[in-house]
Amino acid sequence: MATESAQPKEQIVDPWTAKAGEGEKKINYDKLIVQFGSERIDESLLQRIETLSKKPAHHFLRRGIFFSHRDVPDILNAYEQNKPFFLYTGRGPSSESMHLGHLIPFLFTKYLQDVFDVPLVIQMTDDEKFMWRDLGLEEAHRLAYENAKDIIACGFDVNKTFIFSNLDYMSCCPSFYRNVLRIQKCVTCNQAKGIFGFQDTDSIGKMAFPAVQAAPSFSTTFPDIFGDNKDVRCLIPCAIDQDPYFRMTRDVAPRLGYHKPALLHSTFFPALQGPQSKMSASDPTSSIFLTDTPKEIEQKINKYAFSGGCDTKEEHEKHGGNTDADVSYQYLTFFMEDDERLAEIKKNYESGKLLTGQLKKELIGVLQKLVGDHQARRAEVTMDVVKQFMTPRPLNFKLSA
Ligand code: TRP
């Protein structure tokens, strides 16, 4: 686990750190595909997704925000033969308020649930945050429920979605713990050290945890939903930093007689300071929170959002802005759905016609609406609604058509 705060020599991407290498302005995602041994999402996979889902691909796919995958064609082949799959994603509840970057996997998962009409399980790793952070068990558990409200506010269908706190579900579902144990037996300490960088001074709880994140990849972890059916495949949308957990999972799956989970990986949501690191809740100046007011959003973007424009108006008009480095433009690629409008902004910014201040203003409007709408939806999510989502129960889907 790397913890150094300066820019490291080689880029570091693991579940705890995302930093570009020395002298690099950005995380190099092509290099990650090679290092991790995943596959790029190419045009033909995009088209296959569109054909099977009968909908245009989500702009996160079209714009390369979800850029890498493992075994997605297997999921699509099964789906084509009317065999359902399920979606699995999760969240480590370490802070009261989530930020914009935390929304990305959930917005994408919501799209997948809508177009494929499949069940979804969402793991809240309150146990993980207890083990890694300076957080008590009750506080971690409370945060799991608070964060669940934000997740529900993304619009998930209660009839197709099960959200669970590990602290709750591990103690009430025998099948979950059985899968955890099966996985733990397959992974040696040496392997865990190799995959996650654990040190001998780390607690044994950290060593044991990856099996808990792995287990929901297998349908038998959810007997209320799938009975004892081992054959329902799992697709995991997540940021690429979670891949180590699922490399481990995929390695043990065949030994347990389970399918390997498939994955869809996203890039990181850049920090306000620029795309060499990701937005992080522990640095408030790097983040726009889902609880920010319109005024705070405006001030943060104006003050902190790294600009790819030139220093003076004259220079900018002459040389144009760099959309690759410009955080405001990058954020628009995440949240401005209109392709034509985005292309126009890019053209005008690169030619120097659009100034940084104007670009920021555009972004501020988009984010104020996004965050405002989110807050309104979250206010409707009562504890009763949360409990509905978090009660183990059958979900609506056809096992075979
Ligand atoms: N470890 C993740 C985090 O800290 C939470 C998580 C659990 C997760 N299961 C997952 C993320 C599955 C993606 C997919 O945020």
Side-chain angles (χ1 to χ4, degrees), residues 129-352:
K129 295 301 155 181
F130 166 74
M131 201 55 71
W132 261 267
R133 306 283 177 106
D134 185 18
L135 263 188
L137 278 172
E138 294 322 312
E139 180 63 359
H141 185 248
R142 186 185 71 79
L143 290 175
Y145 280 71
E146 280 308 305
N147 285 185
K149 289 184 188 165
D150 285 290
I151 293 169
I152 291 165
C154 294
F156 293 107
D157 180 347
V158 69
N159 297 311
K160 299 193 172 80
T161 308
F162 173 46
I163 305 179
F164 58 103
S165 126
N166 280 343
L167 287 174
D168 292 340
Y169 194 52
M170 267 276 257
S171 22
C172 76
C173 176
S175 315
F176 185 11
Y177 190 46
R178 279 167 170 70
N179 273 338
V180 168
L181 288 172
R182 290 182 181 112
I183 298 160
Q184 285 175 340
K185 195 171 179 175
C186 288
V187 185
T188 66
C189 291
N190 276 330
Q191 286 167 332
K193 285 183 186 176
I195 300 168
F196 299 100
F198 295 139
Q199 304 291 316
D200 286 347
T201 49
D202 280 318
S203 70
I204 58 173
K206 289 189 181 180
M207 218 26 129
F209 172 76
V212 181
Q213 180 154 334
S217 313
F218 305 136
S219 52
T220 55
T221 296
F222 305 99
D224 295 291
I225 307 174
F226 304 110
D228 60 3
N229 190 339
K230 288 184 180 188
D231 275 333
V232 192
R233 286 171 195 268
C234 175
L235 172 61
I236 306 172
C238 62
I240 186 99
D241 64 333
Q242 297 298 304
D243 190 65
Y245 288 109
F246 301 115
R247 289 202 292 270
M248 183 195 85
T249 312
R250 288 168 53 86
D251 191 46
V252 304
R255 278 183 274 165
L256 302 180
Y258 293 142
H259 291 292
K260 294 182 180 190
L263 289 126
L264 281 164
H265 297 126
S266 74
T267 60
F268 302 119
F269 193 73
L272 279 166
Q273 286 74 11
Q276 67 273 46
S277 68
K278 63 172 178 170
M279 191 169 268
S280 155
S282 43
D283 176 4
T285 69
S286 80
S287 301
I288 308 275
F289 292 100
L290 299 177
T291 47
D292 283 350
T293 62
K295 189 92 219 145
E296 285 170 321
I297 293 175
E298 183 184 349
Q299 284 168 346
K300 283 192 197 174
I301 296 293
N302 282 332
K303 183 159 177 201
Y304 299 117
F306 182 79
S307 167
C310 297
D311 288 343
T312 66
K313 185 164 178 268
E314 289 67 38
E315 274 180 59
H316 186 85
E317 280 170 350
K318 195 160 151 212
H319 303 293
N322 176 353
T323 47
D324 256 359
D326 194 285
V327 167
S328 302
Y329 178 78
Q330 294 296 319
Y331 286 8
L332 283 178
T333 66
F334 282 83
F335 295 120
M336 179 174 267
E337 281 174 41
D338 185 340
D339 287 336
E340 279 171 33
R341 178 95 189 91
L342 186 69
E344 194 183 313
I345 289 174
K346 182 173 160 72
K347 192 174 117 229
N348 290 339
Y349 194 61
E350 288 177 346
S351 75

